[in-house]
Amino acid sequence: MAHMRVTDWQRRVIGRQYGAMQGQARKTRGLQVAGLLAGVACGVLAQGPAWARSANTAPAVQDVARSDGLHALPVTNVQVDALPGVAEAEPSLFIPCDGAVGLAAFWSGAELMVVVDRTLPALLHLPAEGGVFDRRERVALNGATLLRLYLPDHPHVVFARQKAGWLLCVAGAHTQGRCAPAVQEPAVHVRPQPARVLFAQSQPGQVITLPDPATGGRLFVGTTRQVEGSPDPHSAVGYAVRPAVLGVVVAADSAQLALRPTPDGPVLEAIAAQPLPVGLPARPPSASVQQGQDWLWLGFKAASAPQLVQAWHTQRDALGQAGQDPARLLAGQPRSVVASLWTRRVAAAQAAFAAGAPQQAWALLRDLPVPPEHGVQNGALALRACAALLSGDLAGAAPLGTADWAMEPDMVLWRGAYLMASGADSTPTSVLLARGYARLEQYPAPVQAVLMPRVSWYLAQFGGGDERAVMGTLPDDPAYNLPRILLQARAGHAETARVALENLTASGDEQMADRARAQLVDFLRTHDQIGPDMAADAYGQLLAAQGAGGAQAPKGSAKAAPPEGAQANGAEGGAEGAQPGGAVGVQGGLLASLRLAYAQALAQAGQPVRAVGVLAALVPSEATPRDRLEAAWRTVLSALVFGPAQGTADAPAHGAKARGPHAAGGGARVSGPSGSQSAPAMVRTQFLALARANMEHVPDDPLKAKLLAGLGRQLVAQGQAAQAVPVLQQADVLAIEPLMRADIEEQLAQAALQSNQRPLALRALERSALPDLPEDLAARRRYDEAQLAAASGNREGAQALLADDESDAGLSVRGALYEQDQQWAQAVLVVGRLASRTLPEQGDLTTTQRNLVIRLASDAAAAGDAATLRNLQAWVGKRPLGAERQALFAALLRQVQKAPVVSLGVVAIPGGFDKSVKEPK
């Protein structure tokens, strides 16, 4: 072996080795540290240093110390040629989160779906061991996160709750330690109850709703905050409990079913005029209304209004000091005194409530002990919640939506009234209100005066035919004029309703006249008697008049509990409706409903940006139920994604548009409607960014999947592939039609390829491989496969996939592959053929066609093909290309006349030109 010169760097390394060897003779902790360092230096890990295992190692010789204090050793022979194997750990995946985050998991084909009931950005980079969980995707949902883990072998996955988060492991038959299967764990108990089923959990989480691709229905996923066994799968009328690895999964085939979270676990029930039989048979309401639980608990009596008011005054006077601050009065008092005081306050509150003074009843019961103490029972809690509801305090009324006593058939009206005030979906709310309307008609007159106009208006506005029918003939009172007109309009008596609305606009009651004007605009728009532009102007004038009159939207004093069926990130209820003084504020409800109608008219009139600003100030309330707000947001988002941008004038000449999914310019494919291409890129980009930022306002359902698919397609067309990937991943999860999912997955593969995420592109292409795909979708998949093959280094295979494809899109992709390989002559031939059929002989060129000119010119310049450049120059003639393109084209012409030819690189992926191009006439 030739003598090798020892460099300074080698001397330093050898010096470290020698220092480590000196520690061997001491047999202390330094022995282990030095051995580890020596082992690393020799390429050995976890098996001990090489010199400790070999007796033939050359002796160490001390070298002369250098000025830097380091010593050196002769270079020793390599003892092993590979790192030793490390004891294999159990494959695992850790999800960092706090103790309030719940999980659920279930199998869907080859994938394990893990649902996290919080939005966790940290899931972008999850620490994993073992490689089993490497093929995974993270999908952000409304208030939740979905992990798709590709595990085709369905291994035994074990969940472990740790202090810093959740741990997922693949457990074997003899696994020990953290990934060992639990010997005994709590289980979810299915407990049928009257008209509902309780899935009892020790630490329940939230309820997440997802589309079910298998049935086209909905999946209710109930998460858990601790490891527990899942309920046994079974089927019933309208739903089925699915097998789950963790949590509760219910597939609902009927729209009337809902799974709502409660402190004891999720509860499944059916809310409809003719509900499905869920759980045990429903208890009938009391045969006599005046003997029902509501009359007993709320203190109602069959007496006239003056008698009820007198009874309240008597109770109030009898209270004396007992009506003052209970915290001061009860401090240090024995239990008997405390119980006596609360009994007197409850009795007085009942009298106040029956007399139509819910605010006074709420003041007496606001500090009532909860949970009940000192003899306070469900009746007092029901009275407290109802008084809070009619006083505008939705936080105090929250038990009406969750407590067991609120599910009693005699309390159905109050449960519906709470959902109405908190802005829950209008369909189940209307059903509950209609079910209790007959009881409301027999309530004491003061209570009717507070609640009945609100219920009548709500049913007339949002109820279905069956719900409206229960009202019969409304009282002959001005408070019922608008509900009566709405009932006429919805019953088909349009002309009668229109005349009545016009007459009501002249009412001496300004609030009534304002509401009539708003309803008249809605009536005219609904019956196509005015357009959206005129409707938007009318609503704007009505809102301006409200502002000029000093009308302000009153704000509620407390946040509402999330209404039934709401996601975990519920909204503040009643922000524009509830006034802390009694019924919902008429003026606040008018402003909220005006803004909602105004936003919809703006969106239909092509002004979605202004509509977003109007809708952003609204939250679910009595005047704007959650489902109506979501419908308005869906209209606005559709206008942002699919509608043209207004007030812009950078459209392609003569209305021309790209020809084919691989159209020239930028390398992006647009496979859907291209109406948005008429807008300038900057305005369109702003529209798409605004739509993406507000997608959370619509529920995760198949309708949202269509919006997301359109948004993702246009983001790709705008060159924002990285932003399109999470959008299309969410659309893929929410779509239920197989063909639509295949189309979305192809778009996802395209976006993943452009953002250099090849594993994701491969998974998307695998999922989109369905039999009998439409020809255009099959072609797009073939282009994606070719690009994936090229990106993976298989250029020949990529070209072979497209060898017989002479379509515009196929030529564009083939040309791009040649450009990536810098085969410029071949690129000129392919892109030239594309240009020969794409570039018109006369007329202005579109932006896409101008990009194609520059692309072909760049390829020709790189190939040194002066003839193609001259032919292209003659074909384009004096038609403008734009200042930047014109300068670049001139530079390419000058360059091709000089030697050597220097490539300018690939310009994009678009179209081509042919040497057989016609000479200009």
Side-chain angles (χ1 to χ4, degrees):
M1 179 182 296
H3 175 70
M4 295 179 61
R5 179 183 176 183
V6 179
T7 65
D8 292 344
W9 178 81
Q10 288 172 324
R11 290 178 184 275
R12 291 184 175 89
V13 175
I14 295 171
R16 295 189 184 97
Q17 292 176 327
Y18 177 77
M21 292 178 62
Q22 291 296 315
Q24 179 191 10
R26 297 185 179 89
K27 295 184 179 181
T28 61
R29 190 172 61 88
L31 170 66
Q32 300 173 352
V33 176
L36 178 60
L37 293 175
V40 173
C42 296
V44 180
L45 182 63
Q47 291 189 359
W51 51 264
R53 303 195 313 272
S54 175
N56 299 324
T57 304
V61 179
Q62 177 73 38
D63 194 8
V64 179
R66 297 176 53 80
S67 59
D68 56 8
L70 296 176
H71 295 265
L73 278 177
V75 179
T76 58
N77 295 330
V78 176
Q79 304 298 316
V80 294
D81 58 0
L83 289 174
V86 181
E88 185 175 351
E90 306 94 343
S92 63
L93 179 69
F94 183 72
I95 302 177
C97 59
D98 58 37
V101 175
L103 252 66
F106 59 95
W107 290 101
S108 177
E111 294 179 322
L112 179 65
M113 301 291 192
V114 180
V115 180
V116 187
D117 60 15
R118 295 290 189 280
T119 301
L120 299 178
L123 290 180
L124 287 171
H125 303 287
L126 291 175
E129 299 178 7
V132 174
F133 297 109
D134 286 347
R135 299 190 67 180
R136 64 179 185 268
E137 295 179 41
R138 170 193 176 273
V139 182
L141 303 172
N142 287 352
T145 305
L146 176 66
L147 282 179
R148 304 178 67 173
L149 306 177
Y150 183 74
L151 302 170
D153 296 332
H154 284 211
H156 184 193
V157 179
V158 175
F159 288 79
R161 193 69 171 94
Q162 298 184 344
K163 183 177 181 180
W166 286 86
L167 181 69
L168 283 69
C169 294
V170 174
H174 305 288
T175 302
Q176 301 294 328
R178 61 179 184 172
C179 292
V183 177
Q184 185 176 4
E185 60 187 15
V188 177
H189 298 284
V190 181
R191 296 176 181 170
Q193 298 177 351
R196 59 188 184 273
V197 174
L198 169 66
F199 297 90
Q201 295 177 305
S202 300
Q203 296 188 36
Q206 302 296 328
V207 173
I208 311 298
T209 304
L210 298 172
D212 183 10
T215 64
R218 294 169 297 160
L219 282 182
F220 298 125
V221 182
T223 63
T224 177
R225 291 178 289 153
Q226 72 169 15
V227 178
E228 60 184 8
S230 298
D232 294 332
H234 63 274
S235 298
V237 178
Y239 72 95
V241 178
R242 293 279 186 85
V245 180
L246 186 69
V248 177
V249 180
V250 178
D253 300 330
S254 173
Q256 61 179 251
L257 289 170
L259 188 72
R260 55 184 177 85
T262 71
D264 298 324
V267 170
L268 180 71
E269 63 178 333
I271 300 179
Q274 300 295 328
L276 295 174
V278 177
L280 301 178
R283 288 193 293 265
S286 302
S288 172
V289 173
Q290 297 184 8
Q291 295 178 358
Q293 290 280 47
D294 49 348
W295 275 66
L296 174 66
W297 288 348
L298 302 181
F300 292 164
K301 298 177 181 179
S304 64
Q307 292 174 329
L308 293 172
V309 173
Q310 181 61 40
W312 153 234
H313 290 165
T314 302
Q315 288 280 3
R316 182 190 59 190
D317 297 339
L319 273 179
Q321 292 186 350
Q324 299 177 7
D325 181 14
R328 181 178 58 83
L329 293 175
L330 299 178
Q333 297 294 330
R335 294 176 61 90
S336 58
V337 174
V338 174
S340 175
L341 182 137
W342 278 117
T343 300
R344 294 170 62 191
R345 291 174 72 97
V346 168
Q350 286 180 325
F353 193 80
Q359 302 90 344
Q360 284 77 6
W362 173 235
L364 288 169
L365 299 181
R366 181 184 288 109
D367 299 319
L368 184 72
V370 178
E373 299 175 1
H374 311 295
V376 177
Q377 301 299 324
N378 288 341
L381 297 179
L383 175 62
R384 180 183 184 273
C386 293
L389 175 65
L390 296 189
S391 300
D393 193 322
L394 290 176
L400 288 171
T402 58
D404 287 339
W405 50 261
M407 306 301 141
E408 293 291 332
D410 292 346
M411 293 295 293
V412 64
L413 172 70
W414 295 99
R415 183 183 172 197
Y418 169 74
L419 296 182
M420 173 182 70
S422 60
D425 287 355
S426 61
T427 299
T429 301
S430 300
V431 170
L432 294 177
L433 290 175
R435 198 180 295 171
Y437 193 84
R439 305 187 72 83
L440 176 59
E441 289 180 312
Q442 299 187 46
Y443 276 3
V447 179
Q448 283 191 41
V450 174
L451 187 57
M452 196 165 176
R454 294 171 58 185
V455 174
S456 301
W457 166 260
Y458 193 93
L459 290 178
Q461 182 85 346
F462 305 118
D466 293 337
E467 288 73 43
R468 297 195 304 271
V470 302
M471 290 188 288
T473 302
L474 293 175
D476 188 13
D477 186 275
Y480 299 92
N481 283 342
L482 272 176
R484 188 180 297 107
I485 295 173
L486 276 177
L487 290 175
Q488 291 174 344
R490 299 191 66 184
H493 307 296
E495 186 60 22
T496 303
R498 184 188 63 80
V499 172
L501 280 174
E502 290 178 349
N503 293 335
L504 201 57
T505 59
S507 171
D509 185 340
E510 278 301 319
Q511 291 184 350
M512 182 69 69
D514 288 340
R515 296 175 71 89
R517 295 184 187 103
Q519 286 300 317
L520 181 59
V521 175
D522 179 72
F523 176 90
L524 296 176
R525 178 71 191 103
T526 302
H527 290 79
D528 292 326
Q529 297 182 23
I530 60 174
D533 291 332
M534 186 176 295
D537 290 341
Y539 286 127
Q541 292 174 12
L542 289 173
L543 283 169
Q546 296 298 314
Q552 298 294 331
K555 300 294 181 181
S557 59
K559 289 186 178 180
E564 295 179 19
Q567 296 288 347
N569 58 340
E572 179 180 353
E576 292 211 348
Q579 293 191 28
V584 165
V586 175
Q587 197 71 4
L590 172 61
L591 285 172
S593 58
L594 272 177
R595 289 182 177 126
L596 180 62
Y598 183 42
Q600 291 178 302
L602 286 173
Q604 294 167 355
Q607 303 180 61
V609 175
R610 293 181 61 191
V612 168
V614 175
L615 275 183
L618 295 177
V619 295
S621 66
E622 184 170 328
T624 56
R626 181 179 302 277
D627 54 338
R628 301 307 172 107
L629 265 183
E630 291 169 349
W633 273 111
R634 194 173 284 115
T635 300
V636 172
L637 292 172
S638 180
L640 285 172
V641 173
F642 301 113
Q646 298 298 308
T648 57
D650 191 27
H654 304 299
K657 55 185 178 181
R659 298 181 55 178
H662 283 276
R669 287 190 277 129
V670 181
S671 54
S674 55
S676 62
Q677 293 180 358
S678 63
M682 182 177 299
V683 176
R684 175 53 48 188
T685 300
Q686 294 172 350
F687 272 35
L688 298 182
L690 194 59
R692 185 184 177 200
N694 288 283
M695 279 291 173
E696 64 181 4
H697 293 294
V698 293
D700 291 329
D701 57 17
L703 294 177
K704 184 175 183 177
K706 296 180 180 179
L707 285 174
L708 290 168
L711 175 60
R713 181 186 300 116
Q714 294 200 50
L715 286 173
V716 174
Q718 290 282 330
Q720 303 180 55
Q723 289 76 17
V725 166
V727 172
L728 292 170
Q729 284 179 310
Q730 188 177 2
D732 183 21
V733 170
L734 301 181
I736 60 174
E737 299 175 3
L739 190 59
M740 181 180 178
R741 283 206 310 273
D743 182 80
I744 293 172
E745 285 158 349
E746 186 280 325
Q747 296 174 44
L748 176 58
Q750 181 188 149
L753 283 170
Q754 294 187 24
S755 57
N756 198 28
Q757 301 182 51
R758 292 201 301 271
L760 175 60
L762 177 59
R763 290 195 296 272
L765 286 174
E766 289 174 347
R767 292 198 296 261
S768 66
L770 300 180
D772 302 325
L773 286 175
E775 184 177 350
D776 62 330
L777 180 55
R780 284 157 41 204
R781 288 191 71 260
R782 188 166 62 251
Y783 305 147
D784 294 333
E785 291 171 348
Q787 291 179 340
L788 181 60
S792 303
N794 185 7
R795 305 288 185 183
E796 295 78 8
Q799 290 289 357
L801 283 171
L802 305 175
D804 300 326
D805 194 333
E806 288 294 320
S807 66
D808 290 358
L811 291 174
S812 179
V813 175
R814 288 170 61 190
L817 296 176
Y818 282 128
E819 289 163 347
Q820 292 169 8
D821 284 343
Q822 297 188 3
Q823 299 182 33
W824 304 112
Q826 295 295 330
V828 169
L829 292 175
V830 174
V831 177
R833 289 204 298 277
L834 176 62
S836 65
R837 68 175 69 161
T838 302
L839 298 180
E841 186 174 357
Q842 296 178 351
D844 292 340
L845 301 177
T846 66
T847 300
T848 298
Q849 292 165 346
R850 295 172 183 179
N851 289 337
L852 178 57
V853 170
I854 298 302
R855 179 184 182 185
L856 179 56
S858 299
D859 292 346
D865 191 340
T868 295
L869 265 175
R870 286 193 296 269
N871 288 340
L872 181 60
Q873 181 186 26
W875 186 263
V876 172
K878 296 183 179 180
R879 288 180 286 185
L881 299 176
E884 293 184 2
R885 297 187 191 89
Q886 200 71 51
L888 179 57
F889 190 65
L892 292 171
L893 284 171
R894 291 193 301 269
Q895 171 193 322
V896 79
Q897 300 173 2
K898 301 178 181 179
V901 174
V902 180
S903 170
L904 293 182
V906 180
V907 173
I909 282 189
F913 191 74
D914 189 19
K915 292 187 177 181
S916 63
V917 124
K918 300 178 181 179
E919 293 292 338
K921 296 181 181 180

